[in-house]
Amino acid sequence: MLSLFHPFIEFGFMRRALIACVALSISATPLGVFLSLRRMSLIGDALSHAVLPGAAIGYLLSGLSLVAMGIGGLIAGLAVALLSGAVSRFTPLREDASFAGFYLGSLALGVTLVSLRGSSVDLLHVLFGSLLAVDAPAIILVGAIAAFTLIALAFLYRPLVIDAFDPTFLRAQSRWSAPLVHGLFLTLVVLNLVAGFQVLGTLMSVGLMMLPAASSRFWSRHLSMMLLNAMAQAVAASVTGLLLSWHFSLPAGPAVVLSATALFFISILTGPCGGLLRRT
């Protein structure tokens, strides 16, 4: 058993990759649970692509600088979230359709911008990340975002729960306004996607956010247990994916997301709350 986990003991880059994934697991997956409860699961995917043009502009200006790409990605993600909300508010277009339009344009623009200066290797780095190349500044950034997210969720937990199940009550009875809660929530989502693209890339980061969140619905009907289950599944997928990557020479980021996908299918089949085998 010890030999199985030997890579984490001997190699620093494996430990750094694991720390980054665990930090993402405990901050991004609770947001994924709330996205799922609010029927906004695909909006997380849209925002992950919306980060790309800002990250690409940061790359064009400063190369593979974590600070420049992170700030650019945050600005781009928040801009798409605000623009999509404004379009859905002042036009007949629904919010999901508005997000779809903006994210498709953002993805195309981001790929074009990276291709103007970089090589195909640079483009793959931005799209799929370099999990095994995570360095100390990236860990500090991801850890800071994870800590801030957990603190913010502690303050926003009650209004988020009310808004997910009864937004009318939030507007009528709470001191929190629904647009403010929605805006703060989307800001946290964008922040975690910025942290995720530093590690898993823009295309893979949403996988660690949404797959464990979707799986947790099959294991409990209590929100607190769903949140804990989602975080545990994300950590398990991170450890399993990194070990598979090491022992079978697989790309690390996709291996982590594939591990989360395997847990998702296991949950669909065997989960006590609606799993197919339990139902039959």
Side-chain angles (χ1 to χ4, degrees):
M1 181 62 70
L2 186 62
S3 62
L4 181 65
F5 295 94
H6 177 72
F8 297 126
I9 299 172
E10 182 173 352
F11 299 102
F13 68 90
M14 290 291 288
R15 291 194 296 272
R16 288 191 293 271
L18 180 61
I19 292 170
C21 285
V22 169
L24 279 177
S25 298
I26 63 175
S27 66
T29 49
L31 298 173
V33 171
F34 282 109
L35 282 171
S36 178
L37 291 175
R38 295 157 69 101
R39 295 178 174 86
M40 297 171 61
S41 298
L42 291 179
I43 289 180
D45 184 54
L47 286 174
S48 72
H49 299 319
V51 166
L52 183 56
I57 292 173
Y59 167 73
L60 289 176
L61 294 176
S62 304
L64 293 174
S65 166
L66 291 178
V67 175
M69 294 175 70
I71 293 174
L74 177 62
I75 293 172
L78 291 176
V80 168
L82 293 174
L83 287 172
S84 300
V87 168
S88 63
R89 182 178 178 86
F90 296 109
T91 71
L93 198 65
R94 291 172 58 90
E95 190 173 28
D96 56 346
S98 176
F99 267 105
F102 279 107
Y103 104 77
L104 290 170
S106 298
L107 179 61
L109 177 61
V111 171
T112 303
L113 288 174
V114 174
S115 301
L116 287 177
R117 174 178 168 181
S119 64
S120 59
V121 174
D122 295 326
L123 180 59
L124 288 174
H125 172 83
V126 174
L127 292 177
F128 298 103
S130 298
L131 180 54
L132 297 183
V134 171
D135 54 9
I139 290 179
I140 293 172
L141 176 63
V142 173
I145 290 176
F148 175 78
T149 300
L150 293 176
I151 294 171
L153 280 176
F155 285 100
L156 290 174
Y157 181 80
R158 184 175 177 81
L160 277 176
V161 172
I162 297 173
D163 193 38
F165 293 102
D166 192 355
T168 304
F169 178 81
L170 180 68
R171 289 193 294 268
Q173 302 293 331
S174 176
R175 61 188 176 86
W176 293 88
S177 67
L180 176 62
V181 171
H182 187 67
L184 292 174
F185 174 67
L186 288 181
T187 300
L188 291 178
V189 172
V190 172
L191 269 174
N192 279 267
L193 291 173
V194 168
F197 101 80
Q198 306 279 356
V199 178
L200 297 170
T202 59
L203 296 185
M204 294 285 104
S205 59
V206 73
L208 198 61
M209 176 182 287
M210 294 310 309
L211 285 168
S215 302
S216 68
R217 300 288 295 272
F218 292 97
W219 295 99
S220 178
R221 300 198 186 280
H222 298 281
L223 180 57
S224 58
M225 293 305 298
M226 286 171 57
L227 293 170
L228 291 174
N229 183 277
M231 288 188 282
Q233 286 197 47
V235 171
S238 300
V239 174
T240 304
L242 286 170
L243 289 176
L244 289 174
S245 170
W246 173 263
H247 291 290
F248 297 98
S249 301
L250 301 176
V256 169
V257 177
L258 282 174
S259 299
T261 305
L263 291 175
F264 175 65
F265 282 113
I266 292 171
S267 301
I268 291 175
L269 290 174
T270 64
C273 300
L276 292 177
L277 296 180
R278 295 297 181 96
R279 292 170 66 93
T280 56

